[in-house]
Amino acid sequence: MKQESQLMEKIISLCKRRGFVFPGSEIYGGLAGIYDYGPAGAELKRNLKEEWSFEMSRRHENIFQIDSSILMQRKVWDASGHTAAGFTDPMQECKKCHHRFRADHLAERGIKKCPDCQGELTEPKKFNLLVETHLGPVQDDSSLTYLRGETTQGIYVNYKNIKTTMRAELPFGICQIGKAFRNEITPGHFTYRMREFEQMEQQYFVHPGEAEKYFGYWKGERMQWYLSLGMKKENLRFRPHAKDELAHYAQAAEDIEYRFPFGWHEIEGIHNRGDWDLSRHSQFSGEDLSETDEKTGKKFYPYIIETSAGADRLTLAFLVDAYNDEDKDRFVLGLHPKLAPYKVAVFPLLKNKSELVAKAQEIYHALKKDFVAAFDDRGNIGKRYYSQDEIGTPYCITVDFDTLDNDDVTLRDRDTTKQERVPIKDLKKILTEKMYGS
Ligand code: GAP
């Protein structure tokens, strides 16, 4: 356990030192469950979202990506079940200090007394996790609404718009990436459980008779995606939900879990949500969201297969997976090139030779048009390699005196440390082939 928490400490320290993740509002002492991404982290997370977007939408003809608003009518959350007392997460409150804790998180850790003051805890009760806000100048009950607790609902309220504008027929999907907010009672494990986070969710609308087939299909697709981005197979597994832990809307649910240093935990949920969502939104909005079966003429609500992942939680999982400090001679963050924040770094061999610096700058600026690139002329070459390995840059280029005569450079591979001489004019082609295969 000590070793595990040490590993998390090392990852958190790397994140701070190299500009991946900082505590939110840090100069004011931080804000629980809130984090900011620095330059390297913002690139990594953006790459991850870009890969997801390609995989879940652009690669398909029948999955449409949208960008719906964070604020919606309050009734949306009544329809979804989020505001109803029976549907929120059970919490326990300390009778002495009145702090509240998620009952399932306490049970997970076998905790029976208040973790803060050892006081007696109430029986589990349901509390609302939605973050409240007011819209408009008057702050009363009529102006109350919520910051969205999941991106999912923005998809359902646009179901009809997408169906009409895209002339979509079942089965088809709608997906989106966006911020979500939850008043998590026990945020923790760094960016694993946050109060402001980003989701990457897809809702696949199917004929009820095909729901089971597509549930299996999406399970396979999603697992394959993690493997295709280099995540280690032994750190991934499925965990089916038991009947008594299924969410109120779910017919079936399985989590994809990742082996974090603090144990196996969910990174993505795959749910068969049945016809709960479209029937509820039809009922609450008065808009008929049902379909008509062409053969029987009967009306039905499409079933929904949801794939729901968190961009922050996945960023953390990929960082943990890439973190490997077992090699005594060097440290390498082994991120897949598609995810790596910087694709290539350019160095002049010597800092005080202006002709080398000028040539290196020229190459760096040319490569910057196609790749996120870094330039470094500090310290010696060894230190620069170390610095780039530490943030996972797959390729480094060194400009030396031969470059000035031959128009070629040394290209060094992060994983093998092998170096080869390549012509400057071919750099774009060679880097593209090495990183993306063509
Ligand atoms: N629409 C279904 C839904 O929101 P969820 O299991 O509550 O389901 C889906 O969330 C995913 O969103 C999780 O697998 C996780 O990756 C991410 N997520 C949920 N709560 C989070 C939090 N507090 N902090 C970071 N990520 C979170």
Side-chain angles (χ1 to χ4, degrees):
M1 194 64 194
K2 188 154 179 268
Q3 222 176 356
E4 287 163 2
S5 66
Q6 274 174 356
L7 177 57
M8 271 318 283
E9 274 165 30
K10 285 187 200 168
I11 290 170
I12 294 168
S13 153
L14 173 77
C15 283
K16 176 89 202 291
R17 198 172 64 248
R18 298 308 310 272
F20 282 96
V21 181
F22 306 123
S25 309
E26 194 180 9
I27 60 168
Y28 288 93
L31 187 59
I34 308 288
Y35 289 90
D36 296 337
Y37 287 82
E43 285 294 343
L44 168 59
K45 190 170 152 190
R46 192 176 60 78
N47 292 338
L48 184 73
K49 291 189 286 182
E50 182 57 27
E51 286 303 316
W52 186 90
S53 197
F54 175 78
E55 172 70 14
M56 299 305 290
S57 178
R58 293 205 307 281
R59 189 168 81 78
H60 300 267
E61 284 172 16
N62 66 339
I63 304 180
F64 310 103
Q65 186 161 352
I66 65 166
D67 180 8
S68 76
S69 54
I70 286 173
L71 295 166
M72 284 180 276
Q73 274 224 17
R74 193 162 127 190
K75 268 168 96 179
V76 170
W77 302 104
D78 295 334
S80 71
H82 281 79
T83 50
F87 294 134
T88 46
D89 286 309
M91 312 272 185
Q92 287 174 272
E93 189 169 305
C94 173
K95 290 182 181 169
K96 211 161 119 200
C97 72
H98 300 289
H99 289 170
R100 287 174 184 172
F101 307 91
R102 283 266 294 260
D104 54 343
H105 297 164
L106 293 178
E108 254 171 37
R109 287 143 59 196
I111 296 173
K112 302 220 160 61
K113 295 253 177 213
C114 171
D116 290 346
C117 73
Q118 298 301 305
E120 197 187 333
L121 294 167
T122 61
E123 286 301 303
K125 282 188 238 159
K126 313 270 185 179
F127 295 96
N128 188 351
L129 288 184
L130 291 176
V131 177
E132 292 183 357
T133 189
H134 290 267
L135 270 184
V138 184
Q139 296 210 351
D140 61 12
D141 188 59
S142 69
S143 66
L144 172 75
T145 188
Y146 306 99
L147 302 186
R148 68 181 170 200
E150 57 177 9
T151 59
T152 318
Q153 300 303 324
I155 290 178
Y156 302 144
V157 299
N158 281 292
Y159 176 76
K160 226 174 172 171
N161 285 335
I162 305 304
K163 207 175 136 49
T164 312
T165 51
M166 305 315 289
R167 287 177 282 128
E169 299 287 345
L170 299 181
F172 72 93
I174 308 176
C175 65
Q176 75 167 325
I177 299 175
K179 290 271 187 173
F181 304 81
R182 292 183 195 173
N183 247 328
E184 295 283 5
I185 300 300
T186 48
H189 292 314
F190 195 36
T191 52
Y192 178 80
R193 188 172 291 115
M194 303 159 84
R195 288 184 169 142
E196 174 181 340
F197 55 99
E198 215 164 355
Q199 288 191 308
M200 308 191 289
E201 298 198 292
Q202 183 218 201
Q203 313 295 315
Y204 202 68
F205 300 91
V206 303
H207 197 283
E210 294 194 308
E212 225 177 285
K213 176 178 99 183
Y214 282 113
F215 182 67
Y217 170 79
W218 281 111
K219 266 180 59 186
E221 288 290 290
R222 294 306 303 142
M223 182 59 95
Q224 193 47 43
W225 184 72
Y226 290 98
L227 298 172
S228 75
L229 288 174
M231 205 174 255
K232 296 181 193 83
K233 203 172 176 185
E234 64 272 22
N235 291 338
L236 286 162
R237 71 177 187 194
F238 283 113
R239 191 185 69 83
H241 285 205
K243 276 265 173 292
D244 62 354
E245 64 172 321
L246 283 180
H248 56 272
Y249 52 74
Q251 305 258 324
E254 292 206 23
D255 290 340
I256 294 181
E257 290 192 332
Y258 180 77
R259 196 204 324 231
F260 286 98
F262 44 88
W264 286 97
H265 285 281
E266 171 192 347
I267 52 172
E268 172 156 355
I270 296 149
H271 312 122
N272 173 356
R273 300 178 63 117
D275 65 0
W276 159 268
D277 302 284
L278 292 186
S279 62
R280 290 276 292 193
H281 283 298
S282 293
Q283 188 191 329
F284 279 69
S285 69
E287 190 79 40
D288 182 7
L289 302 176
S290 68
E291 301 280 339
T292 306
D293 188 305
E294 274 179 15
K295 285 195 201 116
T296 63
K298 278 194 184 151
K299 285 196 163 223
F300 70 94
Y301 290 105
Y303 272 34
I304 295 167
I305 308 302
E306 172 181 65
T307 67
S308 174
D312 309 275
R313 207 173 269 190
L314 263 53
T315 300
L316 179 61
F318 276 105
L319 274 170
V320 170
D321 213 62
Y323 193 97
N324 180 359
D325 62 356
E326 278 160 23
D327 187 337
K328 293 228 163 16
D329 297 329
R330 66 185 195 124
F331 173 82
V332 180
L333 191 66
L335 289 168
H336 191 287
K338 285 182 177 167
L339 298 181
Y342 299 95
K343 310 300 179 195
V344 59
V346 185
F347 316 141
L349 181 65
L350 298 170
K351 184 184 176 166
N352 51 6
K353 294 285 172 202
S354 58
E355 61 275 41
L356 293 186
V357 175
K359 191 72 187 168
Q361 279 279 346
E362 184 190 313
I363 296 171
Y364 163 66
H365 284 290
L367 288 174
K368 249 171 116 60
K369 291 182 190 140
D370 299 295
F371 306 98
V372 179
F375 180 86
D376 196 355
D377 61 3
R378 297 162 307 162
N380 59 35
I381 288 285
K383 281 199 180 131
R384 295 177 204 160
Y385 283 151
Y386 180 90
S387 169
Q388 294 302 324
D389 285 349
E390 199 181 37
I391 53 168
T393 309
Y395 295 98
C396 291
I397 289 169
T398 304
V399 171
D400 55 23
F401 291 105
D402 287 342
T403 306
L404 305 178
D405 296 332
N406 306 333
D407 269 339
D408 59 9
V409 289
T410 302
L411 182 66
R412 184 254 198 187
D413 181 305
R414 175 194 74 192
D415 297 331
T416 62
T417 71
K418 285 217 172 91
Q419 303 189 5
E420 58 182 315
R421 210 67 200 173
V422 300
I424 294 171
K425 65 174 176 35
D426 296 341
L427 271 174
K428 179 178 169 185
K429 188 167 154 273
I430 292 172
L431 286 170
T432 307
E433 271 173 16
K434 282 183 185 289
M435 283 189 282
Y436 310 118
S438 59

